[in-house]
Amino acid sequence: MKIRKVVIPAAGLGTRFLPITKVIPKEMLPLLNKPAIQYIVEEAIDSKLDNFLVVISKGKEAIENYFNSSTYFDYLLKEKQQTHLLSGLSNIIKSAKFSYVEQKQQLGLGHAILMAKEYIKEDYFCVMLPDDIIVSDNPGINQLIEIATKTKSTVVAVQEIPLEFVSSYGIVSIKSKISDNIFQLNGLVEKPKKLAPSNLAIVGRYVISNKIFSSLEKISSTNLSELQLTDAISHMLQNGEPVIAVKIDGERYDVGTPQNWLRATIELDKKQKFNDNNLNYKITKSIEVPDYL
Ligand code: UTP
């Protein structure tokens, strides 16, 4: 099986970044000189994914304009013979196809994924959340694709977290250990209030069976205020779809809050300097992460 499609849910209101998100989508906030969503798109392209469906909402047109090479800005650069300044982005636009669908009401991540139902014709597809940036030699989503392809299973990325934070995450319940980093699951719980089944938290990378759409439709009729993706994956699992969790190899930066976004920016700056100097990294040139973050 060949997995080529990725759904990027980007329709959320981004309330934790208000007031800036009143006019700038959270996914377009820059980490250094690139918007958060570009890091996700680059990770996907490095994993041979080339069909993107971005779930957006009103006011998020900046995302569409960004991944479009026929804007007035592109025209001006052409006039000035400076198109090379945008070559990195132009290569992304050339190597992938971008489509958009609107989520009219923000009824949760699961509901955002349901908007992709018409777009996904294949058995398996990827979901990547622009709130999580993963830096790794083997791109984060590729680590999942490798396992999904071998096992024909739904695969979720997880990370060990301190027990006191489990109530803020989707947490997996392990049925059996396949290896040190790979687990067969028997359940998933969204933000467990007490007695979490493990300290393995779901991070924003998934390879999902298209059976998810009927699970989403089934559980959406139970009149929940927010349709959770975790609950739909759990429903799919109870109905026979194998679900595997993979401890992601690499560093994850949560960019969903202003403080974490700043921390990620500083860490990415350090990494960039490290790479630019080709192992001749001078720490004095970088900003240090302040203690209070
Ligand atoms: P979050 O839970 O971070 O919500 O969504 P948010 O709206 O982006 O931000 P806050 O919590 O209000 O600050 C996780 C991901 O799911 C998408 C978001 O865009 C984000 O990428 N999402 C969430 C949707 O696309 N639609 C929704 O209805 C909810």
Side-chain angles (χ1 to χ4, degrees):
M1 87 188 175
K2 181 133 181 59
I3 301 173
R4 297 182 66 169
K5 285 188 178 166
V6 51
V7 177
I8 302 182
L13 298 177
T15 51
R16 286 171 291 174
F17 272 97
L18 280 171
I20 187 66
T21 39
K22 186 182 170 189
V23 292
I24 300 179
K26 179 174 77 171
E27 301 74 18
M28 290 304 293
L29 294 175
L31 292 120
L32 305 174
N33 62 338
K34 289 190 291 194
I37 194 169
Q38 186 169 341
Y39 290 85
I40 273 72
V41 167
E42 286 175 356
E43 180 189 323
I45 289 176
D46 289 345
S47 309
K48 303 199 170 54
L49 297 165
D50 54 8
N51 275 260
F52 292 85
L53 179 72
V54 189
V55 185
I56 53 171
S57 48
K58 276 215 166 47
K60 300 245 182 178
E61 295 76 18
I63 301 177
E64 286 181 82
N65 291 336
Y66 190 74
F67 293 108
N68 175 357
S69 52
S70 331
T71 65
Y72 183 57
F73 195 95
D74 290 85
Y75 165 77
L76 289 180
L77 278 188
K78 212 180 227 166
E79 290 280 288
K80 292 181 185 299
Q81 299 185 336
Q82 288 186 322
T83 48
H84 60 280
L85 297 175
L86 266 184
S87 61
L89 180 58
S90 304
N91 288 339
I92 289 177
I93 297 170
K94 266 187 226 136
S95 56
K97 184 169 177 288
F98 289 86
S99 309
Y100 300 88
V101 63
E102 187 186 341
Q103 183 195 25
K104 291 209 164 70
Q105 280 180 294
Q106 280 52 69
L107 297 176
L109 176 59
H111 184 260
I113 301 307
L114 193 50
M115 302 297 105
K117 188 181 169 190
E118 300 302 315
Y119 179 79
I120 302 295
K121 307 275 178 252
E122 299 72 12
D123 289 345
Y124 286 88
F125 66 101
C126 300
V127 170
M128 299 173 74
L129 266 51
D131 273 1
D132 281 325
I133 290 181
I134 293 172
V135 180
S136 176
D137 289 341
N138 184 3
I141 194 68
N142 197 47
Q143 297 174 34
L144 272 62
I145 293 171
E146 287 170 352
I147 291 160
T149 312
K150 270 194 207 137
T151 60
K152 299 209 169 21
S153 309
T154 288
V155 183
V156 301
V158 292
Q159 213 181 28
E160 255 175 81
I161 56 157
L163 269 174
E164 64 258 40
F165 297 128
V166 288
S167 60
S168 309
Y169 286 86
I171 301 291
V172 300
S173 169
I174 294 164
K175 181 177 165 197
S176 60
K177 199 169 171 177
I178 299 173
S179 75
D180 280 351
N181 297 324
I182 307 174
F183 310 91
Q184 192 82 48
L185 301 188
N186 57 17
L188 303 92
V189 206
E190 185 60 31
K191 301 190 176 69
K193 291 209 170 60
K194 44 187 168 181
L195 286 182
S198 73
N199 69 336
L200 291 176
I202 302 169
V203 299
R205 301 290 182 274
Y206 310 78
V207 175
I208 305 185
S209 158
N210 70 14
K211 293 179 196 140
I212 197 75
F213 298 116
S214 60
S215 286
L216 282 165
E217 280 167 346
K218 287 239 167 65
I219 64 168
S220 71
S221 57
T222 54
N223 198 17
L224 298 167
S225 58
E226 275 215 349
L227 187 48
Q228 300 288 0
L229 182 59
T230 313
D231 293 340
I233 298 175
S234 210
H235 180 274
M236 206 169 52
L237 195 160
Q238 309 314 333
N239 286 280
E241 166 71 11
V243 182
I244 287 177
V246 178
K247 260 196 222 170
I248 206 92
D249 180 25
E251 279 144 73
R252 175 180 76 100
Y253 300 107
D254 165 9
V255 295
T257 66
Q259 287 74 18
N260 286 344
W261 170 85
L262 176 58
R263 175 186 272 278
T265 303
I266 294 170
E267 294 294 341
L268 288 169
D269 174 59
K270 277 189 188 175
K271 278 200 190 304
Q272 191 160 309
K273 289 207 171 73
F274 183 84
N275 290 338
D276 288 353
N277 292 344
N278 195 16
L279 305 184
N280 202 9
Y281 171 50
K282 294 199 178 51
I283 197 156
T284 48
K285 282 193 179 168
S286 279
I287 317 160
E288 280 301 296
V289 176
D291 287 342
Y292 59 84
L293 281 180

